[in-house]
């Protein structure tokens, strides 16, 4: 025989050896079609595996797993109920063969055994489409790691496998596990229900404890991913040590448990989420009780949420409040009595002798253990039991459809696994008031419930306090939770208390749930929907107080008519207008008199006209600024002042020329008079001034702007361009130069005849205009507010009054009160006296 033949024979021998009868096959019922069952009856994590069989754990060696035994009885009950039902699979007898998977160590041999044929041989074939294994479907195992191990074998044959409690979402991947279905919602829904519960009670600071197997690692990782987007932080995460098969702990494991519980004692997190099979929790909770850890909220995953053995540790009620996530309660009529019914059914004798007594139907010790928990199992509502019960019925309905059953009976055809699998996918029936069908992931969408542990023997030990609908992904009806706290108050588990409205969060450390609360400053607000960690600035037209969550419109401030300063300045302007109008009338009536002619004659009216217009334009300072009013402020008034000051300056120059320069420069003086030098000078100055104003307009806009009042940010000052003071300084620069020239000419002519000596009046006007303009520009540079507008208006009116009354006032006084001095004879005498003194 060649090497390839010897290798094939060796592999065939190995498969035959592994497919030998399973020594710890707990229950067997012959039938036309067999169902395989894998249940955890003993917690033998580190079982001793031989080549051809698994060494059988004895009841006296390992503690029995009550829930596993209960689920196995549920499968038996469902099969017997179907066999006694004349409408479902008539004339067809369902059988079963169930094996203790010992948690995880006994999975491969039962899978190969169920795949083998009656001669315990699993032949190597090129095509298994006509291969008929020992069973038509398998119910179980209970944990995801075992399900994956078994599914890797069963999926090759498309042998249907329905698990009743494995929640790993990877099992929903039909590319990897095409033959796996589940009668329990997946981990996605379990985690969502858990997260929604944490959000409901505002627990954002939790501890996660997980077992070291795939179940603990995968579910804790999935929860961490969910929490990352829900503002819930994990204070710390620890891995629970796995005990020995006999529940003994090594010194290292014991030290590890002590350290974990000690860390829980010191942590501010009071909510502990535990992902672990119940096997690893007995020693842990004993350590919790030993260190007297109290006041915590324990959130149990579905693997131990309704474990009666852990619940039997009544001292746990001192440790805090226990909440868990599990499938909904669906009572099954008659099952509680069936569970404790003693049966004499046995497995047909095998060809080889049994290695010893097993936990089968004839094991009174195991049955007595179940009977001791019968009350708590009954009161708990048979939650996971319904998942096993519905799985058996799903296979039965699929067989009913595949065999073409009717009232007359069913065909007794050979059932191939690949034929039965699609029929299971298509089942849709009602079972005890619940619709049974599988979704696209092969899951049964049963509701989940949040349960609370109770130790009152007269009540349900696992009382439902909330429900979760997978189809709507919503947790609802949270009610009647009794908290093991003073005054029954909801426990608080937060790294930092919630900030008050208007306070931003300043992260402390690495966790976003740990923060300091800092008030938002005035002018900023907190928009919690967009960013809780930063205060947003208010728009320029709005403001906010300290700790505000929104902004309010600022109060617009501008010079208004009903304000006292406005009224005072406007009355002053009205007085100036009336006085100037009176001056115009007086000068008009005495236009040919020496006083009017010495003051400038027709040029006086050139000065008085802009003064009157400037007085009438004073209202542009009052009310909300507009483009036109800003234009008036920056251009019109300065042009009016330029006309007046240039006229005063040229008048001062002309008087000096008459008395002091006419004799020295007669030709220049003649040209000055012949070509209307004063008017040419005024026109030239006006042209230059208009160029300066136009350039300033192009450089700085006249559009009104708003800016906050530095003394009260709630007020928004509406004014002309903020660079207005710069423009004002540029526009008045020429006026300031003219005022200096006018002052110089006036001072030069201080020795002229009294009627022509206007040095005092011109000096007063020019000094006042010069100083007020410099003061106004300086004030605008260091202060901004409505006061600037008031001061600008006041300075403008005072400058107008300075020219009106300071220059024209004395002349009107002479005309009205000293008419004898307003004669040509008097003026000639004064000039002759001046000439004689000079000679």
């Amino acid at each position: 025989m060649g090497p390839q033949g010897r290798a094939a024979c060796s592999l065939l021998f190995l498969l035959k050896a592994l497919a030998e009868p399973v020594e710890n096959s707990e229950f067997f019922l012959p039938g036309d079609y067999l169902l395989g069952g894998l249940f955890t009856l003993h917690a033998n994590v580190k079982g001793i595996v031989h080549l051809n069989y698994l060494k059988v754990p004895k009841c006296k060696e390992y503690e029995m797993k009550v829930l596993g035994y209960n689920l196995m009885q549920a499968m038996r009950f469902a099969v017997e109920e179907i066999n006694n039902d004349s409408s479902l699979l008539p004339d067809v007898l369902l059988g079963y063969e169930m094996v203790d998977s010992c948690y995880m160590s006994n999975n491969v041999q039962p899978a190969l055994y169920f795949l083998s044929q009656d001669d315990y041989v699993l032949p190597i074939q090129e095509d298994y489409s006509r291969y008929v294994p020992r069973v038509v479907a398998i119910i179980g195992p209970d944990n995801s790691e075992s399900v994956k191990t078994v599914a890797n074998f069963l999926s090759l044959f498309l042998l249907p496998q329905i698990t009743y409690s494995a929640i790993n979402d990877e099992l929903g991947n039909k590319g990897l596990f095409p033959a796996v279905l589940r009668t329990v919602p997946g981990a996605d829904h379990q985690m969502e229900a858990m997260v929604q519960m944490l959000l409901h009670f505002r627990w954002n600071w939790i501890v996660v404890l997980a077992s070291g197997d795939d179940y603990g690692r995968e579910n804790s990782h999935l929860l961490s991913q969910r929490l990352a987007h829900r503002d819930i932080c994990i204070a710390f995460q620890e891995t629970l040590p796995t005990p020995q098969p006999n529940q003994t702990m090594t010194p290292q494991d014991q030290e590890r448990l002590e350290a974990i519980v000690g860390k829980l004692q010191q942590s501010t997190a009071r909510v502990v989420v535990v992902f672990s099979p119940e096997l690893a929790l007995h020693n842990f909770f004993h350590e919790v009780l030993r260190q007297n850890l109290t006041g915590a909220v324990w959130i149990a995953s579905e693997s131990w949420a309704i474990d009666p053995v852990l619940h039997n540790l009544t001292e746990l009620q001192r440790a805090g409040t226990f909440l868990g996530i599990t499938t909904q309660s669906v009572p099954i009529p008659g099952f509680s009595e069936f569970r404790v019914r003693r049966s004499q059914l046995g497995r047909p004798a095998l060809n080889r002798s049994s290695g010893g007594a097993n936990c089968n139907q004839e094991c009174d010790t195991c049955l007595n253990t179940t009977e001791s928990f019968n009350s708590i199992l009954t009161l708990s509502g048979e939650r996971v039991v319904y998942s096993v019960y519905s799985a058996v019925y799903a296979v039965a309905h699929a067989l009913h459809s595949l065999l073409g059953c009717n009232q007359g009976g069913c065909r007794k055809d050979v059932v191939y696994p690949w034929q039965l699998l699609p029929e299971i996918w298509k089942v849709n029936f009602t079972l005890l008031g619940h619709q049974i069908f599988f979704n696209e992931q092969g899951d049964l969408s049963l509701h989940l419930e949040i349960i609370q542990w109770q130790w009152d023997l007269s009540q349900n030990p696992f009382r439902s306090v909330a429900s979760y609908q997978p189809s709507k992904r919503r947790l609802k009806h949270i009610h009647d939770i009794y908290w093991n706290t003073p005054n029954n108050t909801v426990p608080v588990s937060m790294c930092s208390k919630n900030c008050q409205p208007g306070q931003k969060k300043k992260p402390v450390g690495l966790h976003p749930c740990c923060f300091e609360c800092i008030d938002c400053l005035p002018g900023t607000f907190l928009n919690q929907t967009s960013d809780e960690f930063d205060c947003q600035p208010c728009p320029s037209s709005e403001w906010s107080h300290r700790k505000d969550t929104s902004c309010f419109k600022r109060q617009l401030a501008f010079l208004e008519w009903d304000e006292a300063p406005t009224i005072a300045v406007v009355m002053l302007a009205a007085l100036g207008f009336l006085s100037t109008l009176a001056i115009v009338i007086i000068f008009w009536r005495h236009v040919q008199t020496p006083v009017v002619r010495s003051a400038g004659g027709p040029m006086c009216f050139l000065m008085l006209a802009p003064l009157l217009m400037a007085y009438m334009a004073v209202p542009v300072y009052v009310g909300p600024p507009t483009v036109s009013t800003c234009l008036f402020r920056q251009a019109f008034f300065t042009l009016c002042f330029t006309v007046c000051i240039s006229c005063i300056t040229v008048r001062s120059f002309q008087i000096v020329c008459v008395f002091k320069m006419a004799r020295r420069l007669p030709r220049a003086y003649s040209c000055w008079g012949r070509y209307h030098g004063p008017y040419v000078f005024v026109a030239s100055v006006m042209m230059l001034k208009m160029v300066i104003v136009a350039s300033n307009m192009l450089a700085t806009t006249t559009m009104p702007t708003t800016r906050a009042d530095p003394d009260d940010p709630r007020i928004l000052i509406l004014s002309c361009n903020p660079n207005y003071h710069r423009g004002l300084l540029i526009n008045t620069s020429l006026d300031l130069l003219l005022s200096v020239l006018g002052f110089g000419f006036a001072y030069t002519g201080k020795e002229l005849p009294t009627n022509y000596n206007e040095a005092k009046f011109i000096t007063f006007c020019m000094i006042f205009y010069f100083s007020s303009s410099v003061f106004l520009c300086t004030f605008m540079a260091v202060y901004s507010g409505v006061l600037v507008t008031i001061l600008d208006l006041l300075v403008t009116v005072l400058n107008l009054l300075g020219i009106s009354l300071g220059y024209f006032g004395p002349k009107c006084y002479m005309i009205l009160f000293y008419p004898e001095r307003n004669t040509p004879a008097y003026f000639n005498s004064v000039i002759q006296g001046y000439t004689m003194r000079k000679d």
Side-chain angles (χ1 to χ4, degrees), residues 359-402:
C359 276
N360 53 26
Q361 299 98 316
E362 299 175 359
C363 179
D364 294 338
T365 304
C366 297
L367 185 57
N368 291 338
T369 303
T370 305
E371 287 177 341
S372 65
F373 287 96
N374 186 55
S375 176
I376 189 173
L377 290 172
T378 302
L379 290 173
S380 67
E382 315 293 1
R383 295 178 183 276
V384 185
V385 165
Y386 183 75
S387 297
V388 177
Y389 184 76
S390 58
V392 176
Y393 265 89
V395 176
H397 276 269
L399 278 172
H400 187 91
S401 174
L402 182 62

Side-chain angles (χ1 to χ4, degrees), residues 78-128:
V79 171
E80 293 191 17
E81 193 175 70
I82 292 169
N83 287 339
N84 294 327
D85 185 358
S86 59
S87 62
L88 183 61
L89 292 177
D91 296 330
V92 172
L93 183 65
L94 277 184
Y96 54 75
E97 188 161 8
M98 306 182 207
V99 177
D100 180 6
S101 63
C102 294
Y103 184 54
M104 288 188 299
S105 59
N106 187 27
N107 291 312
V108 176
Q109 188 195 8
L112 295 175
Y113 171 68
F114 287 145
L115 286 172
S116 67
Q117 296 178 329
D118 292 336
D119 55 357
Y120 312 123
V121 173
L122 181 56
I124 299 175
Q125 297 181 3
E126 183 178 355
D127 182 8
Y128 285 97

Side-chain angles (χ1 to χ4, degrees), residues 521-628:
L521 298 177
T524 64
F525 71 100
L526 185 69
N527 186 356
Q528 292 184 337
T529 59
S530 62
D531 188 2
E532 293 183 337
F533 295 90
D534 196 15
C535 299
Q536 289 78 38
C538 292
S540 58
S541 61
E542 298 180 356
W543 190 251
S544 66
H545 298 296
R546 195 180 191 90
K547 291 179 61 177
D548 268 356
T549 57
S550 61
C551 300
F552 56 85
K553 290 288 184 181
R554 299 195 199 203
Q555 178 185 351
L556 287 178
F558 47 83
L559 201 58
E560 299 187 56
W561 285 104
D562 56 354
E563 295 179 358
T566 305
I567 296 174
V569 175
V570 170
M571 290 180 63
L572 192 63
L575 178 63
F577 176 79
L578 294 176
S579 62
T580 304
L581 184 61
I583 292 172
V584 170
I585 295 173
I586 293 172
F587 271 51
W588 182 261
R589 293 187 61 182
H590 302 84
V591 66
Q592 299 299 328
T593 62
V595 172
V596 174
R597 295 180 65 182
S598 66
M603 189 169 286
C604 293
F605 298 100
L606 182 61
M607 296 170 61
L608 291 171
L611 288 176
L612 286 174
M613 289 188 293
Y615 279 122
M616 288 189 295
V618 164
V620 300
Y621 277 90
V622 186
T626 61
V627 174
S628 58

Side-chain angles (χ1 to χ4, degrees), residues 306 374 480 512 645:
I306 57 170
N374 186 55
D480 298 336
I645 294 174

Side-chain angles (χ1 to χ4, degrees), residues 164-378:
Y164 44 84
S165 62
I167 65 170
N168 189 296
D169 282 338
E170 191 178 358
L171 297 174
N173 185 345
K174 296 311 159 190
L176 296 175
F177 305 104
V180 176
L181 299 99
R182 294 186 290 191
T183 54
V184 62
D188 173 67
H189 294 294
Q190 307 265 352
M191 297 305 112
E192 183 64 24
M194 188 177 295
V195 170
Q196 289 190 27
M197 178 173 61
L198 294 174
L199 292 173
H200 177 80
F201 292 112
R202 298 181 180 179
W203 295 328
N204 66 355
W205 189 234
I206 66 172
V207 175
V208 176
L209 302 181
S211 56
D213 56 4
D214 287 348
Y215 175 83
R217 288 191 299 269
E218 292 171 356
N219 285 287
S220 60
H221 177 68
L222 182 59
L223 178 64
S224 300
Q225 289 180 322
R226 288 297 180 88
L227 298 183
H229 307 288
R230 300 293 186 95
D231 294 330
I232 299 176
C233 303
I234 298 177
F236 64 90
Q237 181 172 330
E238 295 289 346
T239 301
L240 296 174
T242 303
Q244 300 295 319
N246 58 0
Q247 291 292 311
T248 59
M249 297 286 292
T250 64
Q252 294 80 7
D253 289 344
Q254 184 62 37
E255 290 179 3
R256 181 65 179 156
L257 276 184
E258 293 176 0
I260 293 174
V261 177
K263 198 171 181 179
L264 288 174
Q265 289 272 30
Q266 298 175 359
S267 175
T268 57
R270 306 314 300 157
V271 175
V272 185
V273 180
V274 183
F275 294 105
S276 173
E278 79 288 349
L279 174 67
L281 298 179
H282 294 276
N283 292 316
F284 169 73
F285 279 114
H286 277 97
E287 183 62 27
V288 168
L289 294 175
R290 190 187 71 81
Q291 294 194 27
N292 195 28
L293 174 60
T294 60
V297 177
W298 304 90
I299 299 180
S301 62
E302 40 73 40
S303 60
W304 66 281
I306 57 170
D307 185 73
V309 178
L310 276 176
H311 183 274
N312 199 41
L313 191 60
T314 56
E315 294 85 354
L316 280 180
Q317 54 190 313
R318 293 192 289 110
T321 305
F322 283 77
L323 302 175
I325 297 178
T326 184
T327 54
Q328 68 181 120
S329 173
V330 183
I332 302 175
F335 176 66
S336 296
E337 296 78 12
F338 177 86
R339 179 172 48 234
V340 294
R341 188 184 73 189
R342 298 181 181 274
S343 174
Q344 298 302 319
L345 292 175
R347 176 187 175 90
L350 301 174
N351 294 331
R352 63 169 184 257
S353 60
S354 177
N358 300 325
C359 276
N360 53 26
Q361 299 98 316
E362 299 175 359
C363 179
D364 294 338
T365 304
C366 297
L367 185 57
N368 291 338
T369 303
T370 305
E371 287 177 341
S372 65
F373 287 96
N374 186 55
S375 176
I376 189 173
L377 290 172
T378 302

